[in-house]
Amino acid sequence: MKSRPLTLIDDTDRLIEYSAAMDRMQELWEERVADQRPDTLWLLTHEPIFTIGRRTPEAHLPAPDTDIPVFTTTRGGQLTYHGPGQLVGYLIVRLQPGEGVVDLIRDVEHRIVKALADFGIPAERRDTPPGSELLTGVWTRDTGRKITSIGMRVGRNVSTHGFALNVTGDLSPWKMAIACGLPDVDMTSLERELGDRPAPTMPEAVATVAAAFEATPTPVPGR
């Protein structure tokens, strides 16, 4: 992994409504395009919502009477779920010379694998066999479950969207739809994989993930 120091924004002290987060992410993207901010990792948690990419088949959506709303987003990838206990990371970064969006996604996967190792969970990224649905994300090595979803977009050489790491919380919404375009995927969390061991708190998860991404808060002038 190449070094890529990031500025950290930590908004995990509250649940943020998805469309409001998209508006703020657009602002951060515009600032980065204009070189008005450095490369940034924004960590947050969302209210319950399913998000879908442009290629998500209707058959993969939850039943119409499901209480959790569905939002069509601009990122790549298929259906995913966001909710309490999940750490979401949006990366607003300028691609480095010779770097493409796939390279950035690979970097994200490797950094999440590093963070999970620090939690005591062996994990891996997977190559996609020809003709198969993309296996983008991070999977637990011992149980073969998916613990992190990744979907990104690049415009004017600056990325948006990012990853969702399941830390704790209710996993049942994942079973209401077909996640990641993979009918047989088994979504998991740090809490589930650690078993009898205590799961990290959200501040602990933030600290570990931020360290893996070389992300630190920007000092406030005059303090």
Side-chain angles (χ1 to χ4, degrees):
M1 294 182 295
K2 296 181 180 179
S3 179
R4 190 201 302 269
L6 303 175
T7 287
L8 175 66
I9 302 174
D10 179 9
D11 279 329
T12 56
D13 60 339
R14 63 191 186 280
L15 295 178
I16 297 179
E17 194 266 332
Y18 190 80
S19 63
M22 294 301 95
D23 291 342
R24 176 57 177 150
M25 187 176 67
Q26 177 69 16
E27 294 173 357
L28 295 174
W29 176 81
E30 291 172 356
E31 291 170 6
R32 186 67 190 95
V33 167
D35 283 327
Q36 296 173 348
R37 74 161 33 255
D39 289 340
T40 299
L41 173 64
W42 182 22
L43 296 178
L44 63 155
T45 57
H46 283 307
E47 297 176 354
I49 192 167
F50 290 105
T51 67
I52 59 175
R54 295 172 178 173
R55 298 186 302 109
T56 303
E58 186 174 349
H60 290 191
L61 273 58
D65 58 353
T66 303
D67 291 336
I68 300 173
V70 177
F71 189 100
T72 302
T73 186
T74 58
R75 59 160 172 78
Q78 300 276 8
L79 177 144
T80 195
Y81 166 75
H82 298 305
Q86 183 189 75
L87 179 60
V88 174
Y90 292 134
L91 288 139
I92 299 89
V93 305
R94 186 178 299 281
L95 297 187
Q96 298 174 352
E99 183 180 37
V101 64
V102 174
D103 301 306
L104 179 59
I105 289 172
R106 295 292 171 266
D107 183 74
V108 172
E109 289 173 331
H110 287 302
R111 290 178 188 275
I112 294 293
V113 167
K114 180 183 182 301
L116 290 169
D118 291 337
F119 291 123
I121 298 175
E124 61 188 8
R125 59 163 302 274
R126 293 182 175 180
D127 292 322
T128 302
S132 298
E133 184 63 43
L134 289 175
L135 298 181
T136 303
V138 177
W139 310 70
T140 58
R141 189 174 298 162
D142 293 341
T143 62
R145 299 165 179 154
K146 190 170 186 181
I147 194 167
T148 302
S149 302
I150 299 173
M152 303 194 70
R153 183 171 187 257
V154 171
R156 297 178 66 180
N157 211 41
V158 173
S159 69
T160 50
H161 298 281
F163 62 87
L165 168 63
N166 301 318
V167 181
T168 60
D170 183 11
L171 293 173
S172 64
W174 290 102
K175 299 178 181 179
M176 299 177 183
I178 296 179
C180 311
L182 303 169
D184 297 325
V185 71
D186 187 3
M187 301 300 299
T188 191
S189 65
L190 287 169
E191 183 177 43
R192 182 182 180 189
E193 296 302 311
L194 289 170
D196 294 335
R197 292 173 288 170
T201 64
M202 188 58 73
E204 290 170 340
V206 166
T208 300
V209 169
F213 278 86
E214 305 174 69
T216 56
T218 300
V220 178
R223 292 188 182 180

